[in-house]
Amino acid sequence: MSGEIILLGHDMWMHDSNTKTCLSCELPFTTFRRRHHCRYCGKIYCGKCATKKNEKISNKKIQRICAKCYTLIKRRINSHTPASISMEINNQAINSFREPSNLHSTSESHSSIEEDGQKVRLFTISEDVPHEVEMTKNEINAEDGWGQQSLEFLQERTNELIAHYQIQETWHGILVNLIQNIVSVLTPSVQFRGDFMEINKYLKVQKIIWNSLDLTSFMSGIAFVKNLANKKMLKKILNPKILFLNEVFENFEDSNLVSMDKLIDQEGSLSLITLKKILSINPSMIICSKSLPQVFLAELSNRNITALINVKKKLMDLIARATCGKILNTPDEIYHERNFLGQCNMFVQENRGSTLIDHFTGLNDLSLVGTVFISGPDAFELNSVKKIIRELVIEYRSIRLERMIFVNYTKNPIPNVFNELNDRVMIFKHFLISENKMCLKPEILAIEFYKEKDMALGEFLLNAAEKTEQHCRECGNSWGAHTLYYLKKGGRIKITFSKSSYESKSNEIYYSRECKVCGNSDSSFSILKRSFWEYSFYKLLNNFFQNYSILCQGRKCKHDFFKLSKLIFHVKNIKIIITWEENPCYHVLPLTSKPDVSKTNIEILQKIVAEIKSNSLELLDSMFISYREISNRLIKDIEENKKYQDNVLQSFTWEIEKNLTRLTNCIKDVNDMNAEQFENFLYAQAKRKELFLEICEIRMQILNSLPQPTRGRRKDKLSLLGDNISSSGGSSGETKKSPSPNPSIATDEEGDFSKIPRTGTFLRMLEKVAKVEDFCLRKDFIYMQKGNQTLPLGHNGLYIPIEENDLMSIIAYSLSSEEYYEEVLKTIPTPNDTDKIESELLSAYEKHFQHNFTTMDDEIYEKYLHKSNITQLFGHHITFNVHSFFPRQFHIIRSRIHTSYSEFLMGISCSDNRELKSGKSGATFTKSISNMYILKNVDEKEFNMFKELAPSYFRHFCNSELHNMPSLMIRTLGCYRVYTKNHTLGKQTCKWVMLFENLGCSMPAEVAVYDLKGSFNTRRLVNGKEKMTKMDRNFLEDFGGLPITISKEAKKILEVCIWNDTLFLSKHQVVDYSLLLIVSTTYKVITMAIIDYIAKYTFEKALEHNIKKIVSADNPTITKPTFYKNRFRESVSNSFFLELDE
C-alpha cells in the first residue's frame, strides 16, 4: 500500500438499519442524535464519537473519523518504524534500569517505539537490514581457531543430554549436524531487527511419526501441520500474498443490534463490507487467529483465496516473520497500515511420511525462521529429542557469540573454557544507588540466558545511553548519576556512567579493556563486534562470578580477564564501565557473644600483685633504711652524752629493734606474696588495703619513737603526723619541754632528747623522716593509698577500691557489700530454678536497695581525731549513698549472662576514667576497665521513664531468655542513683546512671561505630574528623550506599529480632531508639543491638516533631511510635543489610 490515507467508498459503509445505538458510547439514536459514518472504517457512530478534526494528513484534511481510526492513523504517521521488523518484548527486559517510569527516548540512530502500550526493543537502523544480518551471521560462523573447541563442546553436551534423556545413541551425529546447521543459518538479530534473543522463538520443531530417522532435517522457512479452512481451497500457491488478521468481524454487544431477527441480515451486510475491503488489496491467502463464517469461507474459496483459520498466535507470528508480513487486528487497518502483506515464493501442502504438512518456502531472508523435522517411531523419544534441540541451539549459539570476547586477548583457545562458563541461568540481586542513596530496593532476579527476560549487551548499552539524561523519580538525579549493582555470592558487578571524552559515531559502540592490576589497557578503542553486540548481557555478568580464571595472553597483561578488568564502552557521548568488586560477607557476632575474661583476670591479678609488691617493698625499704640510719645516729649521740643513763640507751635501743623487726616481718610477708594465693584480683586488693594500713601504723609507731627535730635558730613547729609532740623556739632561744613520744625515755629531765646536741646534717635527716607531706607524695605511697582504703571489706573478704569520680567502682563496692548480700542476694533463687526466676521477673515491683557508707567512720575518727594530717594519710572524708533500683530483677539478668557474681564485680570494679560521647546528643558514657560494661549518665526525667518501662522490660527479657524469643535489645544490667558528698572540699554530686553490656567487648580494636535510626536527614551526619559515634548518613558515605552483606540465616534472625523488639517498644510508646552497629572492615565482623530504648513519645516530643517539620525540609527523626517502628524496620531490612543468597 502507498502512504496515502484512503477513504472508504459508500458501498463499504455499514447500513443505517443495522444498528440503533452508537457503536462507541451505545447511546440510542434519536431525532437529535443522528447517525454518522466514519469515513475510514464505514461504521456508524453519533456526532460526538465520530468528529471532524481540524488537521491535515498528507496535505489532506481529516474528515469525520472515529477515535479508533484516528489513533491508528496518528500512530502510523508518527511512527519512525524502519522497514525491518521490530518485535514486541516484555517491559521488564527492555528496562535495563528497571525504573518504574519506563521512559525511553528516540534518536536518529536508534529507534524505540510503543504499540498498544507495549515497549519494543531498541535497535540500530539500517537501510539494508538483510545485508547487516548476513555480516553478523558470517562473523558468528567465522573460523578463527575456536571451531574445534566449539565442536568438542557441542559433542560433549550432546552426549550428556542423550544420556540424561535416555534416547538412542544414533541420534548423536544427527543432532550435532542439526545444531550446527541451525546456528549457522538461523540468525536472530537484536541489533538490526529488534528480535528476541531466544533463538527457539524462531525455530519450529515438527515431529513426524515414521518408521525411521531418515526424515530428520532442517529447512529455512516455516512448516507446520494445519488443515485448510475449506478442502476446496488451493493447496499450492506460487508467490502468495498473505493477509494476517487477528479477527475478521468485531464482536458487538446485543444492545447494539436492532433485533435478534435482523442478526442474519447484519452478519450478511458486515460480511459483504469486510469481503469488499479484503478483496480491494487482492490477497491470495488469509491466515486468521479466529474462525470465519462458512458463507465467508465459501466466497473466499470461489475467488481462489486460501484461508487458514484458528491459527495459534505463536505460529502466526512465525509465519508473519518468515514472510515479512504484519498481523492486523481487523480488516479496518488495511487502509491505515502499509507493508503488511506477507510474501514468499511458494505455499504448498504436501505429505512428509504420513503427515500432511504446510510449507512456506523460498523466503527472501533465510535467517528469519527455520524448521526442524524430526522423525521416528516413538513419540516419547521424539519429545525428548525436541527438548535436546531446544537446549543445544541456545548453548551452541552462546559459545559462538562468546568466543569473540577472547579472540583479541588470547593467543590460543583456552582449554575447557566453554564447559566452565556453561551456566544457563543467573540468580542475583540488583539495585541502584545515587549519591550514596539506594533508589531501587534490592530485588532478586532470575535470568535464563537467551530467554525472554535476557537482553543483548549492545541493547543494554543503548538503553543506558538513552536514559542517562532522564531523571529518577526517587532522587530526582539523572540516570547517569546512578551506579548499577548486580550482586551474587562472593562479589558484585558495578556499572557506572559518565560523560565520555571519546567522540564516537552515533550508530556505533566502542570498546576497550583496562587491567586493574597492572594498569595496561588497549592502545585504542575498537568497534564492538556484531557477535559481541548480540552476546547475552547477563551471561557476560555471570562470567565475572565464575571461579574459572581466564588469563589474558597478551604481551602487556596476563591477568584475569573478568575479575581484574575494567570493560569500558563508549556509546555516543556516554562512557560505561563494567567492573567486578569483592563483596565480603560479614560474620555477625550474636548479642550473647562474650570474650573469655578468665585469662585477662589472671593477667590483671598478676599485674596487681606485682605492683603491690613493688610499691610496698619500695616504701618499706625506704622506711627501714631511713629509720635505721637516724636511729644509729641518735644512739651514737646518746652514747657520747655522759649525762644519759644506761637505762635510757637500753630503752631506746629496745624501741628501735621492735620497730625494725616489725618492718622486717612486713617486708618478708610482702616478699612471700604471689598471685597463686589469691582467688581473684579483688582479694589481692584486700591484701593491698591490709598492707597499706600496716604501713601507716608502722609509720606512726616509728615517728612516735623519735625525738622532736628542732633547730635553735629556727622559729618552727613541725607536726609529726599530727602527734602531740610540738616544739617552738622563741627569740631568746629557750626551748619548751614537751612530752616525749616514749615515756620511758622522757621520765628523766636529764635524759631529754632535746638536750642532745645535733648537727645540721642530723636535723635534715630527722626532718626528712618525720615530714608527712613528703611521705604522702611518694609514688609508691600514692599507689598503696588510692581507692579509699579505710572502707570496710565486702562480702567474703572482697575489696573494691573506690574513687570519688569513678561511679562504676562506687556501684561495684555497694554491690559487693555485706548489706547487699543480706538484703538482696541471700534470698535470690538459683540460676537453675527457672520457675522462681520467671516469677521474680514477671512480678517486678519497685523495691529498692540503699547503701550508705563513708571513708571516715566512727572508729577512724576516734583513733585519729587528734591527728591534724589524717587527710593526707587516708584521703578526703567522703560520704556515699548508692540507690539500686529493682536489685533482684537486675541481679537475675546479670546471673543469666555471667557464670559467677565475682566475675561481674571484677568487670565493673574500675572504669577507664575516659568519658566517651556518642553522636550529637551529648550523652556521656563510661567504659569499664574490663571493656565489658558501659555506664551511661542520664537525666532524672529519662531515668524515671525507664523505671516505668522496667516491669515490661523484664517481661520482654523473660520471653527472650527463658522462652527463646529472638531479641536484639542491649541488656540493661542495672539502674542507680549515686550521691557523693566530699566533706573535706565541701562539694556534692548526684548522678542517675544505667549500666549496660558493652556491645563491642568481643570486637577487634579497630572498628567503626554507627548509631542508626533509619532516618537520613541532614542531622544524621557527624564530621568524619570528630571522634564520635557515626550516624546513618555516615554509614551511607562509608559504604557508598551499599548495604552490608550478611548470611541468609543471619538476615532472617535479624529481621525477626527487629520485628519483636520494635513491636514491644512501639506498644509502650518508646521512640528515638537506634541500632548500634559496630563494624570491623579488616576482619569482616559486625555486631549490633538496639540501644537507647528510654525516651517515650510525650507531648514535648510531638511538639518537637511538628516544629521541625515546619522549619526544616527534612523529615524529623522523632515521629509517632508506629511510623518510627515501620521506618526503622524498613531501613534495617533494605538500607543497612543485605542477605547473601547461596
Side-chain angles (χ1 to χ4, degrees), residues 329 477 522 544 620 653 728 792 959 1043 1091:
N329 288 323
N477 295 327
D522 296 342
F544 283 89
L620 289 168
T653 303
S728 63
N959 290 332
I1091 62 170

Side-chain angles (χ1 to χ4, degrees), residues 314-368:
K314 183 177 180 181
L315 177 58
M316 185 183 288
D317 287 340
L318 284 178
I319 301 171
R321 174 182 172 85
T323 59
C324 296
K326 184 172 184 180
I327 302 172
L328 305 182
N329 288 323
T330 66
D332 293 336
E333 296 184 20
I334 289 173
Y335 300 100
H336 308 311
E337 295 292 344
R338 56 185 176 181
N339 300 326
F340 54 84
L341 290 177
Q343 295 179 344
C344 65
N345 289 344
M346 183 174 63
F347 164 77
V348 62
Q349 191 177 62
E350 62 182 8
N351 286 317
R352 278 195 178 236
S354 60
T355 305
L356 186 63
I357 295 179
D358 299 342
H359 296 79
F360 287 90
T361 60
L363 306 179
N364 293 329
D365 190 344
L366 300 180
S367 66
L368 287 171

Side-chain angles (χ1 to χ4, degrees), residues 1125-1142:
K1125 171 194 69 178
N1126 294 336
R1127 184 185 66 191
F1128 189 83
R1129 288 175 176 175
E1130 174 72 15
S1131 297
V1132 169
S1133 181
N1134 294 317
S1135 299
F1136 301 136
F1137 300 101
L1138 187 69
E1139 71 181 44
L1140 182 68
D1141 295 313
E1142 298 297 333

Side-chain angles (χ1 to χ4, degrees), residues 166 177 184 263 265 326 352 374 470 523 532 757 803 964:
Q166 298 179 352
N177 291 330
S184 64
L263 178 59
D265 293 338
K326 184 172 184 180
R352 278 195 178 236
I374 52 175
Q470 299 177 27
S523 57
F532 200 5
E803 299 290 343
N964 299 321

Side-chain angles (χ1 to χ4, degrees), residues 1077-1110:
L1077 174 66
I1078 305 177
V1079 183
S1080 171
T1081 54
T1082 304
Y1083 296 96
K1084 304 299 181 288
V1085 176
I1086 63 172
T1087 187
M1088 69 196 87
I1090 294 178
I1091 62 170
D1092 294 342
Y1093 45 85
I1094 299 175
K1096 291 192 174 184
Y1097 191 69
T1098 59
F1099 174 77
E1100 291 82 359
K1101 293 286 186 184
L1103 185 62
E1104 176 189 351
H1105 168 82
N1106 292 330
I1107 293 174
K1108 287 183 177 180
K1109 198 169 183 179
I1110 294 172

Side-chain angles (χ1 to χ4, degrees), residues 94-100 430 432 440 443 455 460 463-468 479-480 482 484 486 497:
I94 184 67
N95 185 8
S96 58
F97 289 98
R98 314 185 73 79
E99 196 266 336
H430 167 247
L432 277 171
L440 178 68
E443 59 179 346
M455 65 171 60
F460 168 81
N463 274 282
E466 291 290 330
K467 288 181 67 95
T468 50
W479 282 112
H482 289 68
L484 184 60
Y486 296 90
F497 312 92

